[in-house]
Amino acid sequence: MKKATVLSLLVLLFSACNYGFSQELKLNDLEYFETQGVNVLVYSNLFTGGFNDEKTAGIELIHHGVRTAQGGAVRLSSTPEQWDLVPEIPTRKVDKESKSIEATLRYGDYDFDSRVVVTAKGKGVEIAIFLDKPLPKELEGSAGFNLEFLPSQYWAKTYLMDGRINRFPRYVVGNTITRPNSEKLKQFKGYVTYDDRGTGRFIEPLPLETGRSIILAPDKPERLVKITSHEADLMLFDGRVLAQNGWFVVRSLLPAGKTGKVLTWTVEPNAINDWVRDPNIGFSQVGYLPSQQKVAVIELDKHDKPLEKASIYKIGNDGKATEVFSGNIATWGDYYKYHYVKFDFSSVNTPGIYYIKYGNFKTNNFLIENNVYDNITDATSDIWIPIHMNHMFVNEAYRVWHGEPFKEGYLQAPPNTDHFDLHGQGPTTDTKYKPMETIPGLNVGGFFDAGDFDIETGSNIGVVQNFVKTWEYFKPLRDQTFVDEKQRYVDLHRPDGTPDILQFIEHGTLNLVAQAEIIGHMAQTLSNSVLDNYHHLGDAASITDGLPYNPNLGPYEVAPDGQSSGVKDDMWAFTSRNAGLDLRAATMFAATSRVLKGYNDDLSARTLQQSKRLLKEATELLAEQPQDSLGWRAISANMTTNLQLYISTKEQQYKDKFQELLWPALDKNVSFTILTALEAIPHMDIAFKEKLHPYVVKYKEYIDELENDNPYGVPIGLGNWARSGTIVSFGTTICFANKYFPDIIDASHAFKTSNWLFGRHPYHNYSLVAAVGAARPKKVFYGNNRADFSFIPGNVAPGILFRKPDHFENYDDWPFLWGQNEGTIGGNTNYLIFGSAFKNLVK
């Protein structure tokens, strides 16, 4: 007998033994299939298409605590990309008697419906696909059932297809073919994700293996899954061929010309007998002040029995660890999937190096020292922010982060254009510029929004306002960045004699004031015109060719003088007017004019002029709209604009209007508005502070309610984007409230935000701020270098993402899910304010 055959039999025997210990899956009250160590979710999270389709929907497998598979659905391609069509799911039925969940999947573009029925079957589930009508002709050979597996949990592991052994590749490999574009199915809203370079053909991956039965990861029992197809071949694809965020895909094509039950899979995830998730001991990776409260939150599997005590060990100068404290565990209770207990070790206050020991589990080390928070914002201000300066060449020692992007400038977006990043140009341009005409002077200043390279005007407005607040309240004189606007050059770690924050304010303002002066109002965004350069990873300067588009040239042709090209890669300015956005810009310009006075007097005068003009025009425009149609953001912007103009000009009309708007806003939502009111205190009389007093009391009640809501005492979000930003704003508000009302708001509440950011949160205990955390910050983030499985120092992750109905997650081995791993320029400058306020508080 050949060695390979013997090995196959041994592996299969090993697999069978594991299955023998598994328990049967049950349909639970939360409407998913469960056994100890395995959850199979069936359309608990739905596809939404376009921007929101990020590998977080369909039939999903949470395997021994990690969501390792998703996307289970009828799909129209073998390795679906973000902008491929996704099915609507108009109906979902749960039948507890038959232990099944049924969903209808519909592709409206093709008038194609299918039904997926998932039924508990022994140690796994049966997935059956039903068609009431045969496949549409144009979907024959394209429509199939897919289930996608997380690459980082499977690469370097083995798999068996019909007994043939192979290994999942660490980096994408495999064969492809090309096909005529005429055979390419529609993508979302008609977008195209690829550049065919004039060939007229698109790439199609070929399967790595084909068979009727596949066993994934028999060498790793906690990831072992067996899939058997009863009517059609299984094909294994590597989705990373077309996109770095692709997953491994197991797929079977639906047959042509058939109805009824047309496809059946049996999916058996291995469940390790009596598996219990390791405790997640949440604590601050950055460390603690000797005097602060120190409470670890320990997240436990509900099958785990809480221990009575935990201990603190101190590491001596000789490297030996000694137990210095042992304390009782206090029960908090259940929160979604897990049980939570707390361990208070506040009495440990001697400076030193420590770790926590809970049963057989111990954490990495952390510090207790008076200086632990001194540098928590340095990586953000020294590295992350300057790297995101647009229209600049950014250098760091031997490394170039990016060249100067978008030298060709920005074209006027054509009317009636929908954009893949959720923007749109209305029926007119709202400017004097013709469609596809270059708008001069916009390629200056501004900041990349996030993991992509556009200038989101709303975000940039907030960013400059954040810089202004940081400067006015805390005056950080830190100078570690060389910025030369004339040379369009930035060099990290090189002081130039000017506080960095002033240069950041100037850089952001240059682009925004250019929009106001040249366009006449604020653009929605300055963004990519074609999708295949929007999802660009790498040097921002290589997104476009740096040459203005010339319609008289052929595709990819360069003019004889080298000054233009036929490449349609120029960025577009989306210029539909939004009065609310103009109001927000007016707020920012009013504040910026104060800071720039004496530093850049010309820019200071221009911003004040634009602030007054935009406030007047936007107010008139909003007055023409029904008041009940005005969004909360527009009302808030009007309020804060008047406050900033009053601070800048001391004109009574602005003060009166601010107070007219403030008190009703506080009555409506105190937690949303209170920070603006607190920021106004230094500029108002004593009566203002006295009138604000009961609202601060009400805000204290909100803080207390959070203690009962979750074991961390912070406002945790449950949406499609994790809520670190809200938690950061929460911490900033507490810092300001404590400053002005210390008898009501205790400073200790601010540490809830720092603890959350630096490791005391669900799922894992890693710091959510890149490179900040003594021993264990997160390793990967969704930045423009995400394809390198790396990070940009100082990036703040959105954090712990909630997946319905009860699962929190934050991948630290897979950066490509923006809802949990993408830091934004708005969020990171909010963190700069919090960090500055927090450092000021702890002093």
Side-chain angles (χ1 to χ4, degrees):
M1 187 179 288
K2 294 181 178 179
K3 289 184 179 180
T5 307
V6 173
L7 180 57
S8 299
L9 290 172
L10 289 173
V11 173
L12 288 169
L13 180 61
F14 166 77
S15 304
C17 290
N18 267 280
Y19 281 105
F21 290 111
S22 302
Q23 300 175 13
E24 292 192 354
L25 287 174
K26 305 290 185 183
L27 181 56
N28 67 19
D29 292 338
L30 293 175
E31 299 184 347
Y32 64 78
F33 299 99
E34 179 182 30
T35 190
Q36 193 167 341
V38 173
N39 306 154
V40 179
L41 280 57
V42 181
Y43 307 114
S44 298
N45 300 288
L46 304 182
F47 300 100
T48 52
F51 187 79
N52 294 309
D53 178 26
E54 58 153 346
K55 312 293 186 184
T56 54
I59 297 173
E60 303 170 85
L61 170 62
I62 300 172
H63 206 187
H64 299 107
V66 179
R67 191 170 61 91
T68 58
Q70 58 77 40
V74 173
R75 299 300 302 269
L76 307 185
S77 62
S78 56
T79 58
E81 298 177 74
Q82 180 184 332
W83 287 275
D84 281 341
L85 295 180
V86 293
E88 296 177 21
I89 302 180
T91 64
R92 178 179 183 270
K93 303 173 185 176
V94 178
D95 187 334
K96 292 195 174 180
E97 264 191 45
S98 64
K99 298 184 293 184
S100 68
I101 301 174
E102 176 180 331
T104 300
L105 278 60
R106 175 165 180 76
Y107 286 95
D109 294 72
Y110 295 98
D111 190 25
F112 168 52
D113 295 301
S114 61
R115 287 183 293 117
V116 179
V117 180
V118 183
T119 306
K121 186 174 182 180
K123 302 171 182 64
V125 293
E126 179 185 270
I127 302 174
I129 315 301
F130 292 82
L131 299 181
D132 295 328
K133 295 188 297 183
L135 272 179
K137 284 287 184 185
E138 52 196 327
L139 297 184
E140 292 178 2
S142 296
F145 184 81
N146 293 14
L147 185 59
E148 304 191 16
F149 290 85
L150 180 62
S152 57
Q153 290 293 317
Y154 282 94
W155 60 47
K157 309 298 184 300
T158 59
Y159 66 88
L160 289 86
M161 181 72 82
D162 289 350
R164 298 183 298 275
I165 303 173
N166 215 317
R167 193 176 296 277
F168 288 102
R170 172 63 178 82
Y171 195 81
V172 59
V173 295
N175 298 324
T176 66
I177 59 172
T178 63
R179 293 171 57 191
N181 287 342
S182 59
E183 297 178 6
K184 177 75 173 175
L185 294 181
K186 301 173 186 176
Q187 293 187 280
F188 187 70
K189 290 187 176 180
Y191 301 140
V192 178
T193 54
Y194 59 98
D195 180 359
D196 66 13
R197 304 305 293 180
T199 65
R201 302 181 71 85
F202 68 96
I203 298 170
E204 179 159 298
L206 296 177
L208 301 176
E209 258 284 17
T210 301
R212 287 299 180 97
S213 177
I214 185 171
I215 298 175
L216 295 82
D219 48 341
K220 193 171 180 65
E222 60 266 41
R223 297 290 171 261
L224 190 156
V225 179
K226 181 179 180 181
I227 302 175
T228 305
S229 175
H230 303 285
E231 292 91 7
D233 281 345
L234 296 169
M235 296 175 286
L236 175 65
F237 291 90
D238 191 335
R240 299 171 297 170
V241 169
L242 296 183
Q244 278 81 0
N245 65 349
W247 292 33
F248 294 124
V249 184
V250 179
R251 170 176 172 83
S252 287
L253 287 173
L254 301 185
K258 292 188 177 181
T259 58
K261 184 192 284 190
V262 298
L263 183 70
T264 309
W265 280 12
T266 302
V267 180
E268 299 175 281
N270 183 44
I272 296 174
N273 191 40
D274 296 327
W275 177 85
V276 174
R277 180 176 182 255
D278 289 346
N280 171 33
I281 304 171
F283 69 102
S284 172
Q285 295 282 352
V286 167
Y288 301 89
L289 301 175
S291 59
Q292 79 172 88
Q293 187 182 35
K294 308 172 190 70
V295 180
V297 176
I298 305 175
E299 182 180 60
L300 298 173
D301 192 301
K302 288 183 181 178
H303 294 95
D304 199 354
K305 183 179 180 181
L307 303 177
E308 293 183 357
K309 290 182 176 293
S311 301
I312 300 293
Y313 282 75
K314 187 173 188 291
I315 300 174
N317 294 341
D318 58 359
K320 295 181 179 178
T322 305
E323 182 178 330
V324 294
F325 175 79
S326 178
N328 292 329
I329 294 295
T331 296
W332 185 88
D334 294 342
Y335 182 63
Y336 289 102
K337 185 176 290 185
Y338 297 116
H339 182 73
Y340 293 84
V341 298
K342 293 188 175 184
F343 171 52
D344 191 326
F345 57 100
S346 301
S347 60
V348 181
N349 52 28
T350 302
I353 307 168
Y354 296 87
Y355 64 79
I356 301 169
K357 191 169 188 294
Y358 175 80
N360 296 322
F361 301 94
K362 69 177 187 178
T363 67
N364 53 267
N365 69 69
F366 60 89
L367 307 180
I368 295 179
E369 185 54 85
N370 285 310
N371 64 357
V372 291
Y373 299 115
D374 286 1
N375 307 117
I376 58 174
T377 59
D378 291 355
T380 303
S381 64
D382 294 358
I383 304 172
W384 198 92
I385 289 170
I387 285 172
H388 286 71
M389 296 174 80
N390 200 347
H391 306 113
M392 304 289 272
F393 184 106
V394 179
N395 184 73
E396 181 184 20
Y398 293 2
R399 177 178 194 170
V400 173
W401 281 95
H402 59 79
E404 181 189 339
F406 317 134
K407 291 182 180 181
E408 64 270 77
Y410 297 83
L411 305 181
Q412 170 67 63
N416 301 311
T417 299
D418 283 334
H419 191 247
F420 31 78
D421 201 9
L422 304 185
H423 299 287
Q425 185 67 44
T428 66
T429 63
D430 284 342
T431 71
K432 64 182 180 181
Y433 299 99
K434 297 176 182 177
M436 301 299 287
E437 180 181 355
T438 297
I439 302 178
L442 294 182
N443 56 338
V444 59
F447 294 89
F448 299 139
D449 178 46
D452 44 14
F453 302 100
D454 52 346
I455 291 181
E456 295 276 3
T457 297
S459 294
N460 272 252
I461 288 169
V463 163
V464 175
Q465 186 74 61
N466 288 341
F467 287 141
V468 169
K469 289 180 183 179
T470 303
W471 176 256
E472 291 195 320
Y473 289 120
F474 309 110
K475 285 290 188 299
L477 299 177
R478 189 170 181 82
D479 172 23
Q480 290 294 307
T481 309
F482 175 90
V483 180
D484 191 314
E485 293 290 347
K486 290 183 179 179
Q487 294 187 54
R488 299 198 173 208
Y489 186 85
V490 175
D491 199 13
L492 307 186
H493 315 301
R494 179 199 291 233
D496 61 5
T498 302
D500 295 337
I501 197 84
L502 285 178
Q503 295 173 315
F504 298 156
I505 292 169
E506 179 184 47
H507 188 75
T509 302
L510 284 170
N511 184 268
L512 296 168
V513 81
Q515 291 186 31
E517 292 174 342
I518 297 167
I519 296 173
H521 55 269
M522 307 314 295
Q524 289 184 37
T525 185
L526 307 179
S527 190
N528 310 73
S529 58
V530 289
L531 183 54
D532 65 88
N533 66 21
Y534 172 75
H535 55 57
H536 173 91
L537 297 176
D539 183 357
S542 63
I543 294 178
T544 64
D545 62 4
L547 300 174
Y549 170 62
N550 185 342
N552 297 318
L553 298 172
Y556 311 105
E557 183 182 354
V558 177
D561 63 2
Q563 298 302 304
S564 62
S565 77
V567 182
K568 292 183 178 181
D569 62 357
D570 299 34
M571 304 286 276
W572 285 0
F574 288 79
T575 56
S576 293
R577 188 162 197 178
N578 181 313
L581 193 63
D582 287 352
L583 270 180
R584 291 182 58 209
T587 305
M588 176 272 302
F589 285 143
T592 303
S593 68
R594 300 191 299 267
V595 173
L596 290 176
K597 190 174 292 185
Y599 173 66
N600 186 331
D601 289 333
D602 174 69
L603 193 56
S604 172
R606 290 160 61 195
T607 54
L608 186 58
Q609 178 185 355
Q610 294 304 317
S611 178
K612 291 180 178 181
R613 179 181 69 83
L614 289 174
L615 174 62
K616 179 177 180 298
E617 293 180 9
T619 302
E620 291 170 354
L621 288 170
L622 290 171
E624 298 172 2
Q625 300 179 18
Q627 291 302 297
D628 57 2
S629 71
L630 297 181
W632 180 250
R633 184 181 288 274
I635 296 170
S636 176
N638 197 359
M639 176 177 64
T640 52
T641 302
N642 279 280
L643 172 62
Q644 294 302 324
L645 279 169
Y646 172 67
I647 297 170
S648 294
T649 67
K650 301 303 179 187
E651 294 179 23
Q652 187 68 29
Q653 59 173 323
Y654 298 126
K655 178 181 179 181
D656 293 343
K657 187 64 176 178
F658 166 69
Q659 295 210 58
E660 175 191 328
L661 296 169
L662 174 66
W663 305 112
L666 283 168
D667 289 331
K668 186 173 182 179
N669 190 327
V670 69
S671 63
F672 184 84
T673 310
I674 192 72
L675 182 57
T676 301
L678 293 167
E679 291 169 348
I681 288 176
H683 311 286
M684 301 291 162
D685 56 26
I686 190 65
F688 177 88
K689 185 178 178 182
E690 291 172 353
K691 189 174 181 179
L692 188 58
H693 185 278
Y695 293 101
V696 179
V697 172
K698 190 175 179 181
Y699 186 69
K700 172 62 165 57
E701 294 171 359
Y702 166 71
I703 295 172
D704 293 339
E705 288 170 4
L706 289 172
E707 285 293 322
N708 297 320
D709 178 74
N710 64 77
Y712 303 95
V714 296
I716 296 174
L718 304 177
N720 199 42
W721 184 276
R723 288 275 292 274
S724 287
T726 301
I727 295 170
V728 165
S729 296
F730 171 74
T732 303
T733 303
I734 289 170
C735 290
F736 277 85
N738 172 258
K739 177 179 180 179
Y740 297 117
F741 297 93
D743 56 323
I744 303 174
I745 306 295
D746 192 81
S748 63
H749 295 298
F751 289 90
K752 297 174 184 176
T753 290
S754 63
N755 286 337
W756 174 277
L757 289 173
F758 301 139
R760 199 180 77 165
H761 47 240
Y763 195 72
H764 57 52
N765 60 12
Y766 311 149
S767 171
L768 298 174
V769 187
V772 176
R776 192 50 172 94
K778 273 174 56 60
K779 292 178 179 178
V780 301
F781 286 73
Y782 186 106
N784 56 58
N785 62 342
R786 57 191 177 273
D788 302 323
F789 284 76
S790 186
F791 58 87
I792 300 173
N795 200 1
V796 183
I800 314 303
L801 186 68
F802 182 70
R803 307 312 305 144
K804 298 176 183 177
D806 64 353
H807 181 69
F808 286 98
E809 73 178 22
N810 179 275
Y811 289 143
D812 193 45
D813 57 3
W814 190 252
F816 296 104
L817 274 66
W818 61 80
Q820 54 187 265
N821 279 333
E822 181 180 23
T824 66
I825 188 68
N828 287 353
T829 51
N830 273 330
Y831 171 74
L832 192 63
I833 295 176
F834 166 71
S836 302
F838 183 70
K839 288 188 288 185
N840 190 62
L841 177 143
V842 300
K843 289 178 182 177

